[in-house]
Amino acid sequence: MESSSELVAFPLLLTPIESNYRACTIPYRFPSDNPRKATPTELSWIDLFLNSIPSFRKRAESDGTVADANVKAEKFAQRYSEILEDLKKDPESHGGPPDCVLLCRLREQVLRELGFRDIFKKVKDEENAKAISLFENVVHLNDAIEDESKRLENLVRGIFAGNIFDLGSAQLAEVFSKDGMSFLASCQNLVPRPWVIDDLDSFKLKWTRKSWKKVIIFVDNSGADIILGILPFARELLRCGSQVVLAANDLPSINDVTYPELIEIIAKLKDENGQLVGVDTSNLLIANSGNDLPVIDLTRISQELAYLASDADLVILEGMGRGIETNLYAQFKCDSLKIGMVKHQEVAQFLGGRLYDCVFKYNEVLS
């Protein structure tokens, strides 16, 4: 179901939005660039999207819900390649100049026009089932850490480890993990601190001093990301007395978790008393963000989320798409946290970090 109501701006963005907010983090071009000629940055990003086509085609071919999937998958690959080649020749074609929002939107459009609704559904279901079976164990390991600061750092490492499971990255789609235990190995094997953006120490300090009354978390991928990364962290916030709103995509895009899927996941993880491993969930809400891409433009969210977010005092944007490629420099009227792993060489270069480096950007608003 498409969202029927119109999209609105996120109410906690710093106003005036026009002069304070730009969704895309990396500028692909500047006003002085020739509008008819693709910039070097545009060309390198168009190539990145071109290189991801084979893995998308492969997923589309195996979509059992679409008749003649292999023929249509070939059509997708052809059509989307042509659009990208057009943009190289004329950046203003297809609604350009291109940025990461447009390049993602065009890919989704072509898939949907050919009847592909959710080409990652099968792998998402498999990964969710695997992660659900590991959830309790991961939570108990966290709960066993008595030192609050160390427990928080462990939860944060879990978010990064979960965020590795990303099928939007061509390299990671290749090395995609087969066994669930690799989640714990991933926690151990993160690049060492300090990370490319590392505000963890000031966040820890804030965490021990006070808790937030309401936290909005824009979530990212299915599987280990949401279940073993975000949910143990959200459970800890609930334990500290915060109300937590998890905002998930309206429509499927790559292996991002959708609003209906998240409702189902939480239902499976709760016990008969409605608890998440001993923690009450009456303060946990699931919201439809109104988004249908792996990146997000915060001037276009659902009215439901806007209503729920109006009195929040912490906004968290998780994952490379929502928290790094878009919104890294977004300013809010309340505290904010952008957390994600750098999974494209182009992003690592822009930030001056390493591939698979971590971003933990915390901004406190002084009242």
PDB file of all heavy atoms in Angstrom, residues 285-319:
ATOM      1  N   LEU A 285       7.003   2.473  20.127  1.00  0.00           N
ATOM      2  CA  LEU A 285       6.050   2.694  19.036  1.00  0.00           C
ATOM      3  C   LEU A 285       6.743   2.457  17.695  1.00  0.00           C
ATOM      4  O   LEU A 285       7.925   2.746  17.546  1.00  0.00           O
ATOM      5  CB  LEU A 285       5.522   4.134  19.064  1.00  0.00           C
ATOM      6  CG  LEU A 285       4.828   4.599  20.348  1.00  0.00           C
ATOM      7  CD1 LEU A 285       4.529   6.087  20.290  1.00  0.00           C
ATOM      8  CD2 LEU A 285       3.553   3.818  20.597  1.00  0.00           C
ATOM      9  N   ILE A 286       5.979   1.935  16.730  1.00  0.00           N
ATOM     10  CA  ILE A 286       6.512   1.737  15.381  1.00  0.00           C
ATOM     11  C   ILE A 286       5.769   2.710  14.472  1.00  0.00           C
ATOM     12  O   ILE A 286       4.536   2.751  14.491  1.00  0.00           O
ATOM     13  CB  ILE A 286       6.260   0.289  14.869  1.00  0.00           C
ATOM     14  CG1 ILE A 286       6.564  -0.745  15.945  1.00  0.00           C
ATOM     15  CG2 ILE A 286       7.062   0.025  13.602  1.00  0.00           C
ATOM     16  CD1 ILE A 286       7.964  -0.777  16.447  1.00  0.00           C
ATOM     17  N   ALA A 287       6.517   3.487  13.687  1.00  0.00           N
ATOM     18  CA  ALA A 287       5.889   4.479  12.813  1.00  0.00           C
ATOM     19  C   ALA A 287       6.292   4.242  11.367  1.00  0.00           C
ATOM     20  O   ALA A 287       7.391   3.774  11.079  1.00  0.00           O
ATOM     21  CB  ALA A 287       6.300   5.885  13.238  1.00  0.00           C
ATOM     22  N   ASN A 288       5.396   4.584  10.475  1.00  0.00           N
ATOM     23  CA  ASN A 288       5.671   4.544   9.038  1.00  0.00           C
ATOM     24  C   ASN A 288       6.287   5.893   8.667  1.00  0.00           C
ATOM     25  O   ASN A 288       5.651   6.930   8.816  1.00  0.00           O
ATOM     26  CB  ASN A 288       4.348   4.331   8.299  1.00  0.00           C
ATOM     27  CG  ASN A 288       4.530   4.178   6.804  1.00  0.00           C
ATOM     28  OD1 ASN A 288       5.498   4.661   6.232  1.00  0.00           O
ATOM     29  ND2 ASN A 288       3.590   3.510   6.160  1.00  0.00           N
ATOM     30  N   SER A 289       7.532   5.870   8.184  1.00  0.00           N
ATOM     31  CA  SER A 289       8.216   7.144   7.893  1.00  0.00           C
ATOM     32  C   SER A 289       7.685   7.815   6.626  1.00  0.00           C
ATOM     33  O   SER A 289       7.954   8.983   6.379  1.00  0.00           O
ATOM     34  CB  SER A 289       9.720   6.918   7.745  1.00  0.00           C
ATOM     35  OG  SER A 289       9.983   6.177   6.568  1.00  0.00           O
ATOM     36  N   GLY A 290       6.971   7.044   5.782  1.00  0.00           N
ATOM     37  CA  GLY A 290       6.498   7.597   4.512  1.00  0.00           C
ATOM     38  C   GLY A 290       7.554   7.523   3.422  1.00  0.00           C
ATOM     39  O   GLY A 290       7.315   7.925   2.286  1.00  0.00           O
ATOM     40  N   ASN A 291       8.728   6.983   3.753  1.00  0.00           N
ATOM     41  CA  ASN A 291       9.851   6.955   2.809  1.00  0.00           C
ATOM     42  C   ASN A 291       9.839   5.669   1.974  1.00  0.00           C
ATOM     43  O   ASN A 291       9.334   4.641   2.419  1.00  0.00           O
ATOM     44  CB  ASN A 291      11.157   7.055   3.600  1.00  0.00           C
ATOM     45  CG  ASN A 291      12.381   7.260   2.729  1.00  0.00           C
ATOM     46  OD1 ASN A 291      12.349   8.041   1.785  1.00  0.00           O
ATOM     47  ND2 ASN A 291      13.460   6.563   3.031  1.00  0.00           N
ATOM     48  N   ASP A 292      10.423   5.742   0.758  1.00  0.00           N
ATOM     49  CA  ASP A 292      10.455   4.539  -0.093  1.00  0.00           C
ATOM     50  C   ASP A 292      11.822   4.348  -0.734  1.00  0.00           C
ATOM     51  O   ASP A 292      11.952   3.701  -1.764  1.00  0.00           O
ATOM     52  CB  ASP A 292       9.363   4.634  -1.173  1.00  0.00           C
ATOM     53  CG  ASP A 292       9.552   5.838  -2.086  1.00  0.00           C
ATOM     54  OD1 ASP A 292      10.416   6.685  -1.794  1.00  0.00           O
ATOM     55  OD2 ASP A 292       8.828   5.934  -3.098  1.00  0.00           O
ATOM     56  N   LEU A 293      12.855   4.937  -0.105  1.00  0.00           N
ATOM     57  CA  LEU A 293      14.219   4.858  -0.647  1.00  0.00           C
ATOM     58  C   LEU A 293      15.192   4.449   0.457  1.00  0.00           C
ATOM     59  O   LEU A 293      14.862   4.555   1.634  1.00  0.00           O
ATOM     60  CB  LEU A 293      14.642   6.233  -1.202  1.00  0.00           C
ATOM     61  CG  LEU A 293      13.821   6.827  -2.352  1.00  0.00           C
ATOM     62  CD1 LEU A 293      14.311   8.229  -2.656  1.00  0.00           C
ATOM     63  CD2 LEU A 293      13.885   5.945  -3.592  1.00  0.00           C
ATOM     64  N   PRO A 294      16.432   4.036   0.086  1.00  0.00           N
ATOM     65  CA  PRO A 294      17.427   3.714   1.114  1.00  0.00           C
ATOM     66  C   PRO A 294      18.096   4.962   1.701  1.00  0.00           C
ATOM     67  O   PRO A 294      18.878   4.875   2.635  1.00  0.00           O
ATOM     68  CB  PRO A 294      18.446   2.856   0.361  1.00  0.00           C
ATOM     69  CG  PRO A 294      18.298   3.229  -1.069  1.00  0.00           C
ATOM     70  CD  PRO A 294      16.902   3.691  -1.278  1.00  0.00           C
ATOM     71  N   VAL A 295      17.808   6.122   1.114  1.00  0.00           N
ATOM     72  CA  VAL A 295      18.250   7.416   1.648  1.00  0.00           C
ATOM     73  C   VAL A 295      16.971   8.157   2.048  1.00  0.00           C
ATOM     74  O   VAL A 295      15.883   7.709   1.709  1.00  0.00           O
ATOM     75  CB  VAL A 295      19.030   8.216   0.575  1.00  0.00           C
ATOM     76  CG1 VAL A 295      20.374   7.568   0.294  1.00  0.00           C
ATOM     77  CG2 VAL A 295      18.225   8.343  -0.714  1.00  0.00           C
ATOM     78  N   ILE A 296      17.084   9.276   2.771  1.00  0.00           N
ATOM     79  CA  ILE A 296      15.839   9.972   3.142  1.00  0.00           C
ATOM     80  C   ILE A 296      15.989  11.488   3.080  1.00  0.00           C
ATOM     81  O   ILE A 296      16.997  12.049   3.531  1.00  0.00           O
ATOM     82  CB  ILE A 296      15.330   9.519   4.540  1.00  0.00           C
ATOM     83  CG1 ILE A 296      13.909  10.044   4.802  1.00  0.00           C
ATOM     84  CG2 ILE A 296      16.276   9.922   5.658  1.00  0.00           C
ATOM     85  CD1 ILE A 296      13.202   9.371   5.963  1.00  0.00           C
ATOM     86  N   ASP A 297      14.987  12.108   2.480  1.00  0.00           N
ATOM     87  CA  ASP A 297      14.870  13.560   2.446  1.00  0.00           C
ATOM     88  C   ASP A 297      13.872  13.921   3.541  1.00  0.00           C
ATOM     89  O   ASP A 297      12.686  13.578   3.451  1.00  0.00           O
ATOM     90  CB  ASP A 297      14.353  13.989   1.065  1.00  0.00           C
ATOM     91  CG  ASP A 297      14.160  15.496   0.953  1.00  0.00           C
ATOM     92  OD1 ASP A 297      14.098  16.175   2.011  1.00  0.00           O
ATOM     93  OD2 ASP A 297      14.027  15.998  -0.183  1.00  0.00           O
ATOM     94  N   LEU A 298      14.346  14.594   4.584  1.00  0.00           N
ATOM     95  CA  LEU A 298      13.496  14.853   5.751  1.00  0.00           C
ATOM     96  C   LEU A 298      12.452  15.947   5.527  1.00  0.00           C
ATOM     97  O   LEU A 298      11.692  16.272   6.431  1.00  0.00           O
ATOM     98  CB  LEU A 298      14.359  15.184   6.967  1.00  0.00           C
ATOM     99  CG  LEU A 298      15.193  14.006   7.501  1.00  0.00           C
ATOM    100  CD1 LEU A 298      16.097  14.460   8.637  1.00  0.00           C
ATOM    101  CD2 LEU A 298      14.307  12.851   7.953  1.00  0.00           C
ATOM    102  N   THR A 299      12.390  16.488   4.299  1.00  0.00           N
ATOM    103  CA  THR A 299      11.274  17.398   4.012  1.00  0.00           C
ATOM    104  C   THR A 299      10.073  16.586   3.497  1.00  0.00           C
ATOM    105  O   THR A 299       9.037  17.148   3.190  1.00  0.00           O
ATOM    106  CB  THR A 299      11.654  18.468   2.968  1.00  0.00           C
ATOM    107  OG1 THR A 299      11.997  17.819   1.734  1.00  0.00           O
ATOM    108  CG2 THR A 299      12.812  19.324   3.453  1.00  0.00           C
ATOM    109  N   ARG A 300      10.254  15.247   3.393  1.00  0.00           N
ATOM    110  CA  ARG A 300       9.196  14.384   2.870  1.00  0.00           C
ATOM    111  C   ARG A 300       8.987  13.163   3.768  1.00  0.00           C
ATOM    112  O   ARG A 300       9.480  12.080   3.501  1.00  0.00           O
ATOM    113  CB  ARG A 300       9.553  13.909   1.446  1.00  0.00           C
ATOM    114  CG  ARG A 300       9.659  15.043   0.413  1.00  0.00           C
ATOM    115  CD  ARG A 300      10.218  14.537  -0.901  1.00  0.00           C
ATOM    116  NE  ARG A 300       9.483  13.370  -1.403  1.00  0.00           N
ATOM    117  CZ  ARG A 300       8.300  13.424  -2.003  1.00  0.00           C
ATOM    118  NH1 ARG A 300       7.703  14.590  -2.186  1.00  0.00           N
ATOM    119  NH2 ARG A 300       7.706  12.325  -2.425  1.00  0.00           N
ATOM    120  N   ILE A 301       8.292  13.388   4.895  1.00  0.00           N
ATOM    121  CA  ILE A 301       7.979  12.262   5.781  1.00  0.00           C
ATOM    122  C   ILE A 301       6.470  12.209   6.024  1.00  0.00           C
ATOM    123  O   ILE A 301       5.748  13.164   5.731  1.00  0.00           O
ATOM    124  CB  ILE A 301       8.729  12.359   7.127  1.00  0.00           C
ATOM    125  CG1 ILE A 301       8.304  13.624   7.886  1.00  0.00           C
ATOM    126  CG2 ILE A 301      10.234  12.343   6.946  1.00  0.00           C
ATOM    127  CD1 ILE A 301       8.272  13.459   9.357  1.00  0.00           C
ATOM    128  N   SER A 302       6.008  11.097   6.590  1.00  0.00           N
ATOM    129  CA  SER A 302       4.567  10.928   6.805  1.00  0.00           C
ATOM    130  C   SER A 302       4.051  11.880   7.886  1.00  0.00           C
ATOM    131  O   SER A 302       4.777  12.245   8.806  1.00  0.00           O
ATOM    132  CB  SER A 302       4.254   9.483   7.210  1.00  0.00           C
ATOM    133  OG  SER A 302       4.711   9.245   8.537  1.00  0.00           O
ATOM    134  N   GLN A 303       2.777  12.218   7.782  1.00  0.00           N
ATOM    135  CA  GLN A 303       2.153  13.087   8.788  1.00  0.00           C
ATOM    136  C   GLN A 303       2.115  12.388  10.149  1.00  0.00           C
ATOM    137  O   GLN A 303       2.250  13.033  11.186  1.00  0.00           O
ATOM    138  CB  GLN A 303       0.745  13.471   8.333  1.00  0.00           C
ATOM    139  CG  GLN A 303       0.759  14.373   7.110  1.00  0.00           C
ATOM    140  CD  GLN A 303      -0.626  14.742   6.605  1.00  0.00           C
ATOM    141  OE1 GLN A 303      -1.584  14.795   7.375  1.00  0.00           O
ATOM    142  NE2 GLN A 303      -0.743  14.994   5.321  1.00  0.00           N
ATOM    143  N   GLU A 304       1.953  11.076  10.107  1.00  0.00           N
ATOM    144  CA  GLU A 304       1.916  10.284  11.356  1.00  0.00           C
ATOM    145  C   GLU A 304       3.233  10.441  12.117  1.00  0.00           C
ATOM    146  O   GLU A 304       3.258  10.712  13.320  1.00  0.00           O
ATOM    147  CB  GLU A 304       1.674   8.803  10.993  1.00  0.00           C
ATOM    148  CG  GLU A 304       1.865   7.823  12.134  1.00  0.00           C
ATOM    149  CD  GLU A 304       2.228   6.404  11.676  1.00  0.00           C
ATOM    150  OE1 GLU A 304       2.374   6.154  10.459  1.00  0.00           O
ATOM    151  OE2 GLU A 304       2.383   5.547  12.563  1.00  0.00           O
ATOM    152  N   LEU A 305       4.352  10.315  11.395  1.00  0.00           N
ATOM    153  CA  LEU A 305       5.663  10.449  12.051  1.00  0.00           C
ATOM    154  C   LEU A 305       5.888  11.886  12.518  1.00  0.00           C
ATOM    155  O   LEU A 305       6.417  12.111  13.605  1.00  0.00           O
ATOM    156  CB  LEU A 305       6.783   9.999  11.113  1.00  0.00           C
ATOM    157  CG  LEU A 305       8.201  10.128  11.682  1.00  0.00           C
ATOM    158  CD1 LEU A 305       8.369   9.313  12.968  1.00  0.00           C
ATOM    159  CD2 LEU A 305       9.245   9.699  10.666  1.00  0.00           C
ATOM    160  N   ALA A 306       5.468  12.852  11.697  1.00  0.00           N
ATOM    161  CA  ALA A 306       5.626  14.263  12.081  1.00  0.00           C
ATOM    162  C   ALA A 306       4.897  14.541  13.400  1.00  0.00           C
ATOM    163  O   ALA A 306       5.434  15.207  14.296  1.00  0.00           O
ATOM    164  CB  ALA A 306       5.085  15.169  10.973  1.00  0.00           C
ATOM    165  N   TYR A 307       3.703  13.977  13.533  1.00  0.00           N
ATOM    166  CA  TYR A 307       2.910  14.150  14.762  1.00  0.00           C
ATOM    167  C   TYR A 307       3.629  13.523  15.961  1.00  0.00           C
ATOM    168  O   TYR A 307       3.777  14.134  17.015  1.00  0.00           O
ATOM    169  CB  TYR A 307       1.522  13.534  14.557  1.00  0.00           C
ATOM    170  CG  TYR A 307       0.693  13.496  15.824  1.00  0.00           C
ATOM    171  CD1 TYR A 307       0.106  14.651  16.328  1.00  0.00           C
ATOM    172  CD2 TYR A 307       0.515  12.296  16.516  1.00  0.00           C
ATOM    173  CE1 TYR A 307      -0.647  14.618  17.503  1.00  0.00           C
ATOM    174  CE2 TYR A 307      -0.229  12.242  17.685  1.00  0.00           C
ATOM    175  CZ  TYR A 307      -0.801  13.411  18.177  1.00  0.00           C
ATOM    176  OH  TYR A 307      -1.534  13.373  19.331  1.00  0.00           O
ATOM    177  N   LEU A 308       4.118  12.282  15.768  1.00  0.00           N
ATOM    178  CA  LEU A 308       4.790  11.571  16.863  1.00  0.00           C
ATOM    179  C   LEU A 308       6.107  12.239  17.260  1.00  0.00           C
ATOM    180  O   LEU A 308       6.531  12.172  18.403  1.00  0.00           O
ATOM    181  CB  LEU A 308       5.078  10.118  16.460  1.00  0.00           C
ATOM    182  CG  LEU A 308       3.891   9.167  16.410  1.00  0.00           C
ATOM    183  CD1 LEU A 308       4.310   7.833  15.795  1.00  0.00           C
ATOM    184  CD2 LEU A 308       3.316   8.935  17.815  1.00  0.00           C
ATOM    185  N   ALA A 309       6.779  12.885  16.281  1.00  0.00           N
ATOM    186  CA  ALA A 309       8.116  13.423  16.531  1.00  0.00           C
ATOM    187  C   ALA A 309       8.121  14.814  17.145  1.00  0.00           C
ATOM    188  O   ALA A 309       9.154  15.254  17.647  1.00  0.00           O
ATOM    189  CB  ALA A 309       8.899  13.453  15.219  1.00  0.00           C
ATOM    190  N   SER A 310       6.985  15.486  17.114  1.00  0.00           N
ATOM    191  CA  SER A 310       6.992  16.923  17.454  1.00  0.00           C
ATOM    192  C   SER A 310       7.562  17.223  18.838  1.00  0.00           C
ATOM    193  O   SER A 310       8.159  18.269  19.044  1.00  0.00           O
ATOM    194  CB  SER A 310       5.591  17.510  17.309  1.00  0.00           C
ATOM    195  OG  SER A 310       4.698  16.752  18.103  1.00  0.00           O
ATOM    196  N   ASP A 311       7.432  16.290  19.800  1.00  0.00           N
ATOM    197  CA  ASP A 311       7.950  16.569  21.154  1.00  0.00           C
ATOM    198  C   ASP A 311       9.149  15.699  21.528  1.00  0.00           C
ATOM    199  O   ASP A 311       9.493  15.555  22.695  1.00  0.00           O
ATOM    200  CB  ASP A 311       6.829  16.393  22.187  1.00  0.00           C
ATOM    201  CG  ASP A 311       6.266  14.973  22.189  1.00  0.00           C
ATOM    202  OD1 ASP A 311       6.478  14.232  21.195  1.00  0.00           O
ATOM    203  OD2 ASP A 311       5.604  14.593  23.178  1.00  0.00           O
ATOM    204  N   ALA A 312       9.826  15.114  20.520  1.00  0.00           N
ATOM    205  CA  ALA A 312      10.996  14.275  20.816  1.00  0.00           C
ATOM    206  C   ALA A 312      12.191  15.147  21.204  1.00  0.00           C
ATOM    207  O   ALA A 312      12.290  16.294  20.780  1.00  0.00           O
ATOM    208  CB  ALA A 312      11.343  13.418  19.607  1.00  0.00           C
ATOM    209  N   ASP A 313      13.093  14.608  22.031  1.00  0.00           N
ATOM    210  CA  ASP A 313      14.293  15.379  22.388  1.00  0.00           C
ATOM    211  C   ASP A 313      15.592  14.704  21.940  1.00  0.00           C
ATOM    212  O   ASP A 313      16.673  15.180  22.245  1.00  0.00           O
ATOM    213  CB  ASP A 313      14.329  15.719  23.890  1.00  0.00           C
ATOM    214  CG  ASP A 313      14.065  14.516  24.781  1.00  0.00           C
ATOM    215  OD1 ASP A 313      13.875  13.401  24.256  1.00  0.00           O
ATOM    216  OD2 ASP A 313      14.038  14.689  26.019  1.00  0.00           O
ATOM    217  N   LEU A 314      15.465  13.596  21.190  1.00  0.00           N
ATOM    218  CA  LEU A 314      16.640  12.991  20.546  1.00  0.00           C
ATOM    219  C   LEU A 314      16.198  12.347  19.235  1.00  0.00           C
ATOM    220  O   LEU A 314      15.217  11.593  19.210  1.00  0.00           O
ATOM    221  CB  LEU A 314      17.291  11.933  21.452  1.00  0.00           C
ATOM    222  CG  LEU A 314      18.458  11.122  20.850  1.00  0.00           C
ATOM    223  CD1 LEU A 314      19.642  12.022  20.494  1.00  0.00           C
ATOM    224  CD2 LEU A 314      18.916  10.019  21.806  1.00  0.00           C
ATOM    225  N   VAL A 315      16.900  12.670  18.158  1.00  0.00           N
ATOM    226  CA  VAL A 315      16.639  12.067  16.837  1.00  0.00           C
ATOM    227  C   VAL A 315      17.868  11.265  16.451  1.00  0.00           C
ATOM    228  O   VAL A 315      18.988  11.788  16.499  1.00  0.00           O
ATOM    229  CB  VAL A 315      16.380  13.151  15.762  1.00  0.00           C
ATOM    230  CG1 VAL A 315      16.252  12.516  14.379  1.00  0.00           C
ATOM    231  CG2 VAL A 315      15.125  13.944  16.087  1.00  0.00           C
ATOM    232  N   ILE A 316      17.661   9.997  16.070  1.00  0.00           N
ATOM    233  CA  ILE A 316      18.778   9.145  15.635  1.00  0.00           C
ATOM    234  C   ILE A 316      18.531   8.716  14.192  1.00  0.00           C
ATOM    235  O   ILE A 316      17.464   8.205  13.862  1.00  0.00           O
ATOM    236  CB  ILE A 316      18.913   7.892  16.540  1.00  0.00           C
ATOM    237  CG1 ILE A 316      19.168   8.307  17.995  1.00  0.00           C
ATOM    238  CG2 ILE A 316      20.033   6.976  16.033  1.00  0.00           C
ATOM    239  CD1 ILE A 316      19.215   7.149  18.995  1.00  0.00           C
ATOM    240  N   LEU A 317      19.513   8.973  13.336  1.00  0.00           N
ATOM    241  CA  LEU A 317      19.456   8.513  11.942  1.00  0.00           C
ATOM    242  C   LEU A 317      20.513   7.439  11.789  1.00  0.00           C
ATOM    243  O   LEU A 317      21.700   7.692  11.960  1.00  0.00           O
ATOM    244  CB  LEU A 317      19.727   9.676  10.984  1.00  0.00           C
ATOM    245  CG  LEU A 317      18.578  10.691  10.932  1.00  0.00           C
ATOM    246  CD1 LEU A 317      19.104  12.103  10.944  1.00  0.00           C
ATOM    247  CD2 LEU A 317      17.709  10.461   9.710  1.00  0.00           C
ATOM    248  N   GLU A 318      20.053   6.203  11.501  1.00  0.00           N
ATOM    249  CA  GLU A 318      20.984   5.082  11.490  1.00  0.00           C
ATOM    250  C   GLU A 318      21.203   4.562  10.080  1.00  0.00           C
ATOM    251  O   GLU A 318      20.290   4.506   9.271  1.00  0.00           O
ATOM    252  CB  GLU A 318      20.419   3.963  12.380  1.00  0.00           C
ATOM    253  CG  GLU A 318      21.348   2.778  12.525  1.00  0.00           C
ATOM    254  CD  GLU A 318      20.840   1.506  11.884  1.00  0.00           C
ATOM    255  OE1 GLU A 318      19.648   1.434  11.537  1.00  0.00           O
ATOM    256  OE2 GLU A 318      21.644   0.573  11.708  1.00  0.00           O
ATOM    257  N   GLY A 319      22.453   4.197   9.799  1.00  0.00           N
ATOM    258  CA  GLY A 319      22.784   3.595   8.512  1.00  0.00           C
ATOM    259  C   GLY A 319      23.418   4.594   7.561  1.00  0.00           C
ATOM    260  O   GLY A 319      23.211   5.804   7.669  1.00  0.00           O
TER     261      GLY A 319
END
